[in-house]
Short mmCIF file of all heavy atoms in Angstrom, two decimals:
data_model
loop_
_atom_site.label_atom_id
_atom_site.label_comp_id
_atom_site.label_asym_id
_atom_site.label_seq_id
_atom_site.Cartn_x
_atom_site.Cartn_y
_atom_site.Cartn_z
N MET B 334 -42.86 -9.86 -7.90
CA MET B 334 -42.40 -9.75 -9.29
C MET B 334 -41.91 -11.13 -9.72
O MET B 334 -40.73 -11.48 -9.57
CB MET B 334 -41.27 -8.71 -9.39
CG MET B 334 -41.76 -7.31 -9.18
SD MET B 334 -40.59 -6.04 -9.60
CE MET B 334 -39.54 -6.05 -8.20
N ASP B 335 -42.86 -11.92 -10.28
CA ASP B 335 -42.54 -13.31 -10.66
C ASP B 335 -41.70 -13.37 -11.92
O ASP B 335 -41.07 -14.40 -12.20
CB ASP B 335 -43.84 -14.08 -10.90
CG ASP B 335 -44.64 -14.19 -9.61
OD1 ASP B 335 -43.99 -14.11 -8.52
OD2 ASP B 335 -45.86 -14.30 -9.65
N ASP B 336 -41.68 -12.31 -12.70
CA ASP B 336 -40.92 -12.35 -13.95
C ASP B 336 -39.46 -12.04 -13.79
O ASP B 336 -38.69 -11.99 -14.76
CB ASP B 336 -41.55 -11.34 -14.95
CG ASP B 336 -42.94 -11.75 -15.35
OD1 ASP B 336 -43.21 -12.97 -15.30
OD2 ASP B 336 -43.74 -10.87 -15.70
N PHE B 337 -39.08 -11.72 -12.59
CA PHE B 337 -37.67 -11.29 -12.36
C PHE B 337 -37.04 -12.08 -11.20
O PHE B 337 -37.72 -12.50 -10.27
CB PHE B 337 -37.64 -9.82 -11.96
CG PHE B 337 -38.21 -8.89 -12.97
CD1 PHE B 337 -39.51 -8.42 -12.86
CD2 PHE B 337 -37.45 -8.48 -14.05
CE1 PHE B 337 -40.02 -7.58 -13.81
CE2 PHE B 337 -37.98 -7.59 -14.99
CZ PHE B 337 -39.27 -7.16 -14.88
N GLN B 338 -35.72 -12.19 -11.36
CA GLN B 338 -34.94 -12.59 -10.17
C GLN B 338 -34.42 -11.29 -9.61
O GLN B 338 -33.76 -10.49 -10.27
CB GLN B 338 -33.77 -13.48 -10.61
CG GLN B 338 -32.94 -13.92 -9.41
CD GLN B 338 -31.77 -14.75 -9.85
OE1 GLN B 338 -31.89 -15.54 -10.81
NE2 GLN B 338 -30.61 -14.55 -9.24
N VAL B 339 -34.76 -11.02 -8.32
CA VAL B 339 -34.43 -9.74 -7.70
C VAL B 339 -33.31 -9.93 -6.69
O VAL B 339 -33.41 -10.80 -5.80
CB VAL B 339 -35.68 -9.14 -7.02
CG1 VAL B 339 -35.37 -7.76 -6.48
CG2 VAL B 339 -36.86 -9.08 -7.95
N SER B 340 -32.28 -9.14 -6.84
CA SER B 340 -31.17 -9.23 -5.88
C SER B 340 -31.50 -8.46 -4.64
O SER B 340 -32.38 -7.58 -4.65
CB SER B 340 -29.90 -8.65 -6.48
OG SER B 340 -30.01 -7.22 -6.55
N PRO B 341 -30.80 -8.72 -3.51
CA PRO B 341 -31.03 -7.88 -2.30
C PRO B 341 -30.65 -6.43 -2.60
O PRO B 341 -29.81 -6.15 -3.47
CB PRO B 341 -30.08 -8.49 -1.26
CG PRO B 341 -29.78 -9.86 -1.78
CD PRO B 341 -29.86 -9.79 -3.26
N ALA B 342 -31.27 -5.53 -1.83
CA ALA B 342 -31.05 -4.11 -2.09
C ALA B 342 -29.65 -3.67 -1.73
O ALA B 342 -29.08 -4.11 -0.73
CB ALA B 342 -32.07 -3.28 -1.31
N ASP B 343 -29.07 -2.88 -2.61
CA ASP B 343 -27.80 -2.18 -2.30
C ASP B 343 -28.18 -0.77 -1.85
O ASP B 343 -28.83 -0.06 -2.60
CB ASP B 343 -26.97 -2.18 -3.57
CG ASP B 343 -25.65 -1.42 -3.35
OD1 ASP B 343 -25.24 -1.32 -2.21
OD2 ASP B 343 -25.12 -0.91 -4.36
N VAL B 344 -27.78 -0.38 -0.67
CA VAL B 344 -28.25 0.87 -0.08
C VAL B 344 -27.16 1.94 -0.16
O VAL B 344 -26.00 1.68 0.24
CB VAL B 344 -28.67 0.69 1.39
CG1 VAL B 344 -29.29 1.95 1.95
CG2 VAL B 344 -29.64 -0.46 1.53
N GLN B 345 -27.53 3.11 -0.68
CA GLN B 345 -26.64 4.24 -0.63
C GLN B 345 -27.32 5.33 0.17
O GLN B 345 -28.53 5.56 -0.01
CB GLN B 345 -26.33 4.74 -2.04
CG GLN B 345 -25.39 3.82 -2.80
CD GLN B 345 -25.16 4.36 -4.20
OE1 GLN B 345 -26.09 4.56 -4.93
NE2 GLN B 345 -23.92 4.63 -4.52
N PHE B 346 -26.55 6.01 0.98
CA PHE B 346 -27.11 6.95 1.93
C PHE B 346 -26.44 8.30 1.71
O PHE B 346 -25.21 8.40 1.68
CB PHE B 346 -26.89 6.46 3.36
CG PHE B 346 -27.49 7.34 4.42
CD1 PHE B 346 -28.86 7.66 4.35
CD2 PHE B 346 -26.76 7.81 5.47
CE1 PHE B 346 -29.42 8.46 5.32
CE2 PHE B 346 -27.33 8.59 6.45
CZ PHE B 346 -28.65 8.94 6.38
N GLY B 347 -27.23 9.34 1.54
CA GLY B 347 -26.64 10.67 1.39
C GLY B 347 -27.33 11.65 2.29
O GLY B 347 -28.50 11.48 2.66
N VAL B 348 -26.61 12.68 2.73
CA VAL B 348 -27.18 13.69 3.63
C VAL B 348 -26.84 15.07 3.09
O VAL B 348 -25.72 15.31 2.71
CB VAL B 348 -26.56 13.56 5.07
CG1 VAL B 348 -27.10 14.65 5.94
CG2 VAL B 348 -26.91 12.22 5.66
N HIS B 349 -27.85 15.88 3.04
CA HIS B 349 -27.63 17.32 2.73
C HIS B 349 -27.61 18.04 4.08
O HIS B 349 -28.66 18.15 4.75
CB HIS B 349 -28.75 17.86 1.83
CG HIS B 349 -28.85 17.11 0.56
ND1 HIS B 349 -27.93 17.31 -0.46
CD2 HIS B 349 -29.65 16.12 0.16
CE1 HIS B 349 -28.20 16.49 -1.46
NE2 HIS B 349 -29.27 15.77 -1.13
N ALA B 350 -26.43 18.42 4.48
CA ALA B 350 -26.21 18.86 5.85
C ALA B 350 -26.98 20.10 6.22
O ALA B 350 -27.28 20.95 5.38
CB ALA B 350 -24.72 19.10 6.09
N SER B 351 -27.33 20.18 7.49
CA SER B 351 -27.96 21.36 8.07
C SER B 351 -27.40 21.51 9.45
O SER B 351 -26.87 20.58 10.04
CB SER B 351 -29.50 21.14 8.12
OG SER B 351 -30.07 22.10 8.93
N ASP B 352 -27.53 22.69 10.00
CA ASP B 352 -26.99 22.93 11.34
C ASP B 352 -27.73 22.05 12.36
O ASP B 352 -27.14 21.53 13.30
CB ASP B 352 -27.13 24.40 11.68
CG ASP B 352 -26.33 24.75 12.93
OD1 ASP B 352 -25.18 24.29 13.00
OD2 ASP B 352 -26.86 25.44 13.80
N ASN B 353 -28.99 21.88 12.13
CA ASN B 353 -29.78 21.01 13.00
C ASN B 353 -29.98 19.67 12.27
O ASN B 353 -30.62 19.62 11.22
CB ASN B 353 -31.13 21.67 13.27
CG ASN B 353 -32.00 20.81 14.17
OD1 ASN B 353 -31.68 19.68 14.48
ND2 ASN B 353 -33.11 21.37 14.61
N PRO B 354 -29.43 18.59 12.82
CA PRO B 354 -29.52 17.30 12.06
C PRO B 354 -30.94 16.84 11.87
O PRO B 354 -31.20 16.08 10.96
CB PRO B 354 -28.72 16.36 12.95
CG PRO B 354 -28.48 17.02 14.23
CD PRO B 354 -28.68 18.48 14.07
N VAL B 355 -31.86 17.29 12.71
CA VAL B 355 -33.26 16.92 12.51
C VAL B 355 -33.82 17.53 11.21
O VAL B 355 -34.65 16.97 10.53
CB VAL B 355 -34.12 17.33 13.72
CG1 VAL B 355 -35.56 16.99 13.52
CG2 VAL B 355 -33.61 16.68 14.98
N GLU B 356 -33.22 18.68 10.86
CA GLU B 356 -33.69 19.40 9.65
C GLU B 356 -32.95 18.94 8.40
O GLU B 356 -33.25 19.38 7.30
CB GLU B 356 -33.47 20.92 9.82
CG GLU B 356 -34.21 21.51 10.99
CD GLU B 356 -35.75 21.39 10.80
OE1 GLU B 356 -36.21 21.62 9.68
OE2 GLU B 356 -36.44 21.02 11.80
N GLU B 357 -31.96 18.06 8.56
CA GLU B 357 -31.21 17.61 7.41
C GLU B 357 -32.07 16.82 6.44
O GLU B 357 -32.93 16.07 6.84
CB GLU B 357 -30.02 16.72 7.86
CG GLU B 357 -28.89 17.51 8.39
CD GLU B 357 -27.82 16.58 8.94
OE1 GLU B 357 -28.06 15.37 9.09
OE2 GLU B 357 -26.73 17.08 9.22
N THR B 358 -31.82 17.03 5.14
CA THR B 358 -32.52 16.27 4.12
C THR B 358 -31.70 15.03 3.84
O THR B 358 -30.52 15.14 3.51
CB THR B 358 -32.70 17.10 2.85
OG1 THR B 358 -33.29 18.32 3.23
CG2 THR B 358 -33.53 16.37 1.83
N ILE B 359 -32.30 13.90 3.95
CA ILE B 359 -31.56 12.65 3.70
C ILE B 359 -32.06 12.02 2.40
O ILE B 359 -33.21 12.24 2.00
CB ILE B 359 -31.68 11.67 4.86
CG1 ILE B 359 -33.14 11.28 5.10
CG2 ILE B 359 -31.09 12.24 6.13
CD1 ILE B 359 -33.50 9.93 4.62
N THR B 360 -31.15 11.28 1.79
CA THR B 360 -31.53 10.55 0.59
C THR B 360 -31.05 9.11 0.80
O THR B 360 -29.91 8.89 1.11
CB THR B 360 -30.82 11.12 -0.65
OG1 THR B 360 -31.23 12.48 -0.77
CG2 THR B 360 -31.20 10.40 -1.91
N LYS B 361 -31.98 8.19 0.63
CA LYS B 361 -31.60 6.78 0.72
C LYS B 361 -31.98 6.11 -0.60
O LYS B 361 -33.16 6.21 -0.99
CB LYS B 361 -32.30 6.06 1.90
CG LYS B 361 -31.37 5.78 3.05
CD LYS B 361 -32.02 4.97 4.07
CE LYS B 361 -30.98 4.63 5.16
NZ LYS B 361 -31.56 3.92 6.29
N ARG B 362 -30.99 5.56 -1.25
CA ARG B 362 -31.28 4.93 -2.55
C ARG B 362 -31.13 3.41 -2.39
O ARG B 362 -30.07 2.94 -2.01
CB ARG B 362 -30.33 5.46 -3.61
CG ARG B 362 -30.58 4.79 -4.96
CD ARG B 362 -29.65 5.31 -6.01
NE ARG B 362 -29.98 6.71 -6.31
CZ ARG B 362 -29.18 7.51 -7.05
NH1 ARG B 362 -28.06 7.06 -7.49
NH2 ARG B 362 -29.55 8.76 -7.29
N PHE B 363 -32.19 2.70 -2.68
CA PHE B 363 -32.15 1.25 -2.63
C PHE B 363 -32.09 0.71 -4.09
O PHE B 363 -32.98 1.03 -4.87
CB PHE B 363 -33.42 0.71 -1.95
CG PHE B 363 -33.57 1.25 -0.56
CD1 PHE B 363 -34.31 2.42 -0.33
CD2 PHE B 363 -33.00 0.63 0.52
CE1 PHE B 363 -34.46 2.92 0.92
CE2 PHE B 363 -33.15 1.13 1.82
CZ PHE B 363 -33.88 2.28 2.02
N THR B 364 -31.02 0.05 -4.41
CA THR B 364 -30.83 -0.41 -5.78
C THR B 364 -30.93 -1.91 -5.83
O THR B 364 -30.28 -2.63 -5.06
CB THR B 364 -29.47 0.06 -6.29
OG1 THR B 364 -29.35 1.47 -6.10
CG2 THR B 364 -29.31 -0.25 -7.78
N TYR B 365 -31.76 -2.40 -6.77
CA TYR B 365 -32.00 -3.82 -6.95
C TYR B 365 -31.53 -4.21 -8.34
O TYR B 365 -31.78 -3.42 -9.29
CB TYR B 365 -33.46 -4.20 -6.80
CG TYR B 365 -34.08 -3.73 -5.50
CD1 TYR B 365 -34.61 -2.44 -5.38
CD2 TYR B 365 -34.16 -4.56 -4.41
CE1 TYR B 365 -35.18 -1.99 -4.20
CE2 TYR B 365 -34.76 -4.12 -3.22
CZ TYR B 365 -35.23 -2.86 -3.12
OH TYR B 365 -35.83 -2.42 -1.94
#
Side-chain angles (χ1 to χ4, degrees):
Chain B
M334 291 193 280
D335 296 334
D336 293 334
F337 301 97
Q338 180 183 322
V339 185
S340 73
D343 175 26
V344 186
Q345 285 180 304
F346 183 53
V348 176
H349 301 285
S351 165
D352 192 45
N353 181 352
V355 178
E356 299 296 318
E357 281 175 349
T358 306
I359 61 104
T360 300
K361 252 187 177 175
R362 179 180 291 169
F363 303 91
T364 307
Y365 306 86

